[in-house]
Amino acid sequence: MKKKNYSYIGIAFIILVFGIIFIPRIINRIKDNSIVDNNSRSVGIAKPSDEEKKASALSFIEINGSPKKVPNFSFTNQNGETITQDDYLGKVYVVEFFFTTCPTICPRMNRNLIEIQNAFKNEDDFGIASFSIMPEVDTPEVLKAYAQDYGVTNPNWNLMTGDEKAIFDLANIGFNIFVGKVADDEMGFEHSGDFALIDKNGYIRSRKDAFGNPKIFYKGVISEQEKMDEDGNEEEISMLKEDIKKLLDE
C-alpha cells in the first residue's frame, strides 16, 4: 500500500509541474492568436497595421451605403467673413446649432465647447462650427460680442449667421440635428443639444455603441464635471475629446 501511495504522489507531482510550466504558455499563445490549425497553412491570425487601426477607430455615418459628407454651405461669421465647408477641409471640427439669446441649453453647450477648445488650443487643425438658428437677431456684431463673452479664441471657431431656411435645412437634413419653431415655446424655438464630429475630409464620424452601431452624435449639454444629468444620461464630452484626438491622429 505504501508503494502505491508513493506512485500516486509522484504522478500528482508531475502533473503539478506540467501545469505550472506549460499552461501559462498555452494561455499566452491563445491570447496572441498564435495557435495554428493543423488543417491550415496559416501561421496565425493577421493583425491590423497601425494605419488600419487609425482608419477604423471611428465609424463613418452611412446613408444608402455611402459615407455621409457635410453638405455645401455658405454663411457669414462673427467677423463678417464668408465661411463655407471648404474652409474646414484639413481640419477636425465640432458642429452645433444654437442662438445667442437661448436661456437654457445653449449656454451649457457653449461652456462645454470652450472647455474642448482649451483642451486643443495647440492644435492648428481643430475647429468648431456654430450655426445660429435665429439669424435675424444673431448678426455678425451680436455673434462677435457673444464669442468674446464666452472666451472664443480659436481662429477656426466660426459663429455663423445667414438665411434661416438654409440653416434649418443644414441642421435637419444635412446633419439630422433637430431644429424647429415651436409656437408654444417661450423662445419660439426647439433644438437638439447634440454635437456632430467631422473629420479632415468632411465626413461625419462617431464611435460605435454597445450594439456595433454608430452613435452619430455626442451629447453637448452635460459637462464632464456633472458626470450625468437628472435623467441618468452620462456625459459624452470626455468621449468627444478622445474621438477628436483620434481624428487628429489620422
Side-chain angles (χ1 to χ4, degrees):
M1 291 297 292
K2 288 184 179 179
K3 289 183 178 180
K4 287 185 179 180
N5 287 341
Y6 289 147
S7 63
Y8 290 146
I9 292 171
I11 292 170
F13 179 75
I14 292 170
I15 293 172
L16 178 62
V17 171
F18 178 86
I20 292 171
I21 295 174
F22 293 102
I23 288 178
R25 296 181 182 179
I26 294 171
I27 291 172
N28 287 335
R29 291 183 67 196
I30 292 171
K31 285 182 178 178
D32 293 337
N33 294 320
S34 59
I35 296 296
V36 181
D37 185 346
N38 288 331
N39 295 320
S40 171
R41 294 182 182 180
S42 172
V43 294
I45 298 173
K47 295 182 180 180
S49 67
D50 290 340
E51 289 302 315
E52 289 170 330
K53 285 179 182 177
K54 286 180 182 178
S56 62
L58 294 177
S59 297
F60 290 85
I61 311 305
E62 294 192 356
I63 304 296
N64 297 324
S66 298
K68 186 173 178 62
K69 201 165 190 177
V70 173
N72 294 346
F73 64 81
S74 180
F75 299 110
T76 304
N77 74 356
Q78 70 269 33
N79 298 314
E81 302 164 333
T82 299
I83 301 297
T84 74
Q85 72 286 343
D86 290 340
D87 289 294
Y88 284 98
L89 286 177
K91 297 177 177 62
V92 175
Y93 64 105
V94 178
V95 168
E96 70 156 347
F97 291 86
F98 82 112
F99 57 106
T100 61
T101 54
C102 170
T104 54
I105 65 174
C106 296
R108 302 178 70 182
M109 293 164 63
N110 283 306
R111 282 194 293 268
N112 286 333
L113 284 176
I114 287 293
E115 185 174 329
I116 291 171
Q117 167 198 258
N118 295 339
F120 294 96
K121 62 184 178 182
N122 296 320
E123 294 287 350
D124 295 335
D125 294 335
F126 174 69
I128 298 173
S130 299
F131 300 93
S132 171
I133 62 173
M134 195 183 284
E136 71 276 11
V137 172
D138 291 338
T139 62
E141 294 77 18
V142 170
L143 292 174
K144 188 164 189 173
Y146 185 88
Q148 290 172 343
D149 288 343
Y150 272 82
V152 172
T153 57
N154 186 325
N156 301 319
W157 187 342
N158 295 287
L159 289 78
M160 288 171 273
T161 187
D163 180 75
E164 183 183 85
K165 183 180 185 304
I167 292 172
F168 274 51
D169 286 347
L170 182 66
N172 292 315
I173 301 171
F175 288 99
N176 297 111
I177 294 178
F178 173 72
V179 168
K181 290 188 174 182
V182 183
D184 57 356
D185 186 83
E186 179 184 356
M187 298 301 299
F189 288 95
E190 186 175 319
H191 68 102
S192 167
D194 292 334
F195 297 149
L197 178 60
I198 318 301
D199 70 14
K200 294 176 183 178
N201 296 310
Y203 290 100
I204 303 173
R205 304 282 291 276
S206 77
R207 65 174 59 188
K208 295 180 180 179
D209 62 19
F211 302 99
N213 301 310
K215 290 179 65 66
I216 305 178
F217 306 118
Y218 299 79
K219 296 183 181 70
V221 178
I222 312 166
S223 70
E224 283 187 280
Q225 292 73 28
E226 290 173 312
K227 302 297 183 185
M228 65 176 59
D229 64 11
E230 59 274 10
D231 297 320
N233 297 307
E234 295 183 356
E235 64 87 14
E236 295 185 348
I237 300 301
S238 56
M239 180 191 301
L240 178 55
K241 287 180 180 178
E242 292 173 3
D243 293 350
I244 291 169
K245 180 65 168 62
K246 290 176 184 176
L247 292 183
L248 286 169
D249 289 342
E250 281 192 354

